[in-house]
Amino acid sequence: MRQTQPDDFTLTQRSGDNGRKMTEKGSAEKSDSAIVVSNQHQLVPGISITASGQATVAPSVADVLFDLAIKLEEPTNLPVDVEHVLAAIVLAARNGQLDRNTPLSPDDPALVDTLAAHVKTIFADYGGNVGTDD
């Protein structure tokens, strides 16, 4: 086993059978809790991250991320999109705030509160920019 402490992460969403992928870059805090046993470390079901910091999202999680983005707009009073949700999930997982075996749900008030705090930080610290195209 090796321990990693990446400062940067890349969010990759693979969609459908066409092999298209979307990559976003952002930054995250260092954490001693990120232990990588293989090439990918599961953050939550459907979202994994590599030792180099590339997060992969399963197509089955796309609707949940979209629903979470909508759900997070009210408590944050910010224009939240899927990339903000992904970045918040990475940050929450690195802070030990997510159970890697518990599926994401927009109907989980504790999850929404946890992610809302990270979304607010992303907007406060980075102006909401989580990608190179923002």
Side-chain angles (χ1 to χ4, degrees):
M1 282 200 281
R2 70 180 190 164
Q3 203 165 3
T4 62
Q5 299 178 337
D7 286 326
D8 294 323
F9 60 89
T10 303
L11 304 171
T12 301
Q13 182 175 10
R14 299 187 189 284
S15 58
D17 292 26
N18 62 10
R20 199 176 48 129
K21 69 179 185 178
M22 174 179 64
T23 303
E24 299 290 339
K25 289 205 177 271
S27 57
E29 300 170 5
K30 288 185 179 182
S31 170
D32 292 333
S33 64
I35 300 201
V36 178
V37 181
S38 66
N39 191 26
Q40 293 211 356
H41 171 72
Q42 179 176 299
L43 299 178
V44 293
I47 301 176
S48 299
I49 194 165
T50 65
S52 65
Q54 184 173 20
T56 303
V57 177
S60 61
V61 182
D63 286 341
V64 174
L65 295 178
F66 181 76
D67 292 343
L68 279 166
I70 292 170
K71 191 77 146 191
L72 286 163
E73 285 189 343
E74 184 178 332
T76 62
N77 199 28
L78 295 165
V80 181
D81 62 27
V82 173
E83 288 83 10
H84 297 122
V85 176
L86 287 169
I89 289 167
V90 170
L91 293 172
R94 289 186 175 170
N95 284 340
Q97 297 172 299
L98 298 178
D99 179 347
R100 63 182 230 121
N101 297 311
T102 302
L104 298 172
S105 170
D107 298 323
D108 180 350
L111 174 65
V112 171
D113 289 345
T114 297
L115 296 180
H118 290 292
V119 167
K120 288 177 183 178
T121 299
I122 291 164
F123 276 86
D125 293 354
Y126 305 104
N129 295 325
V130 293
T132 55
D133 294 328
D134 285 346

